Amino acid sequence: MGFVPTMGALHEGHVSLVQLSLDRGAKTLVSIYVNPTQFNNPEDLAKYPNTLEKDLEMLESIGCDAVFLPTAEMLYPEGLKSRAFSFGCLDLNMEGAGRPGHFEGMATVVTKFFELIQPDFAVFGEKDYQQLCIIRHVVAEENWPVEIIPGPIVREVDGLAMSSRNLRLTPNEREQAATIYAVLSKACNEVDGFTDVETLKNYCFETLNSEPSLAVEYIECCDALKLQPVEKLDPNIPMRLFAAVRCGNVRLIDNLALF
Ligand code: AMP
């Protein structure tokens, strides 16, 4: 059985993960649960979009076998508490630094799901690349018999990474949000034109911040395995470029392979 955890407000990105599981010939279960313990911002939790009826239709139409819609009482009978984990150095930067408690909450709910569902494999999107690395680490560390399958980022026509939070953007913000991919992909495609990491990061930072609705939270260049910031651009080392950008009141993240 394949398992795809989601927080609902499903889009083509989620569908691609379900399809990955179905294509492996597996019975596929999708969970839809907005997990409070992974939200460090109460407004983000309160405003998280809910399109349950449409989600269920979408899942049925692609042949998903089962949907799990747990309640907080079912998952957290003892109250909304996160478990303790060791994430190595994977959570020191980016989302780990900017969203205290986020990964503990995420890993808590995912390990509870693994206990309840006991899937053979679970599919996670590269959209949340740091989350994917952390889950791989937890599964290895705790000897979970669950294979972790990565799914590539699905994008809108203008390149914006699909996200449930995109539903909260105004039309004007939505237009400016496309700059995130435009800038990151330009930096990755023209990486040879940058003398060093700082120049590349500054280019992204300044170009994004020049859009009136955008405010960069971080731009980071990290090695693709340990997620440590790199000091030198080295084509022999797999590296990724990461960004978190506020667009109006909505916080968006994206990442792309540099090498
Ligand atoms: P979420 O509902 O945002 O918690 O996401 C559930 C799963 O879908 C996570 O593994 C995400 O990384 C993945 N996901 C979200 N957006 C995308 C996307 N645009 N492309 C591929 N996977 C995605």
Side-chain angles (χ1 to χ4, degrees), residues 88-229:
C89 50
L90 291 170
D91 67 332
L92 296 180
N93 302 295
M94 305 187 288
E95 298 303 285
R99 301 182 66 189
H102 166 65
F103 285 126
E104 284 78 6
M106 180 280 295
T108 299
V109 82
V110 169
T111 50
K112 281 172 183 275
F113 281 142
F114 286 177
E115 284 160 2
L116 290 166
I117 296 164
Q118 304 192 6
D120 298 295
F121 65 89
V123 193
F124 287 84
E126 288 183 341
K127 161 81 172 23
D128 300 278
Y129 193 88
Q130 196 173 12
Q131 163 174 291
L132 169 66
C133 295
I134 285 179
I135 285 298
R136 275 208 187 104
H137 174 88
V138 169
V139 160
E141 183 109 323
E142 316 235 339
N143 302 109
W144 281 102
V146 180
E147 188 186 352
I148 302 301
I149 315 281
I153 302 177
V154 177
R155 299 179 177 282
E156 302 285 356
V157 178
D158 63 6
L160 177 66
M162 288 192 181
S163 165
S164 309
R165 290 182 177 89
N166 294 351
L167 292 173
R168 292 181 47 210
L169 300 171
T170 65
N172 184 30
E173 288 165 356
R174 169 65 191 80
E175 208 176 307
Q176 291 180 40
T179 317
I180 301 170
Y181 175 73
V183 168
L184 296 185
S185 58
K186 188 168 160 70
C188 289
N189 293 335
E190 297 175 19
V191 61
D192 292 346
F194 294 94
T195 45
D196 52 39
V197 180
E198 281 315 306
T199 321
L200 183 144
K201 283 168 54 173
N202 283 341
Y203 160 75
C204 296
F205 206 92
E206 280 161 21
T207 320
L208 288 169
N209 273 343
S210 68
E211 294 286 337
S213 296
L214 302 186
V216 174
E217 197 173 291
Y218 63 73
I219 298 286
E220 201 53 89
C221 260
C222 291
D223 75 271
L225 295 176
K226 296 225 160 92
L227 300 187
Q228 297 311 296

Side-chain angles (χ1 to χ4, degrees), residues 1-3 21 25-29 65-66 116-122 146:
M1 180 178 40
F3 169 48
S21 171
K27 292 276 183 208
T28 300
L29 182 147
D65 294 283
L116 290 166
I117 296 164
Q118 304 192 6
D120 298 295
F121 65 89
V146 180

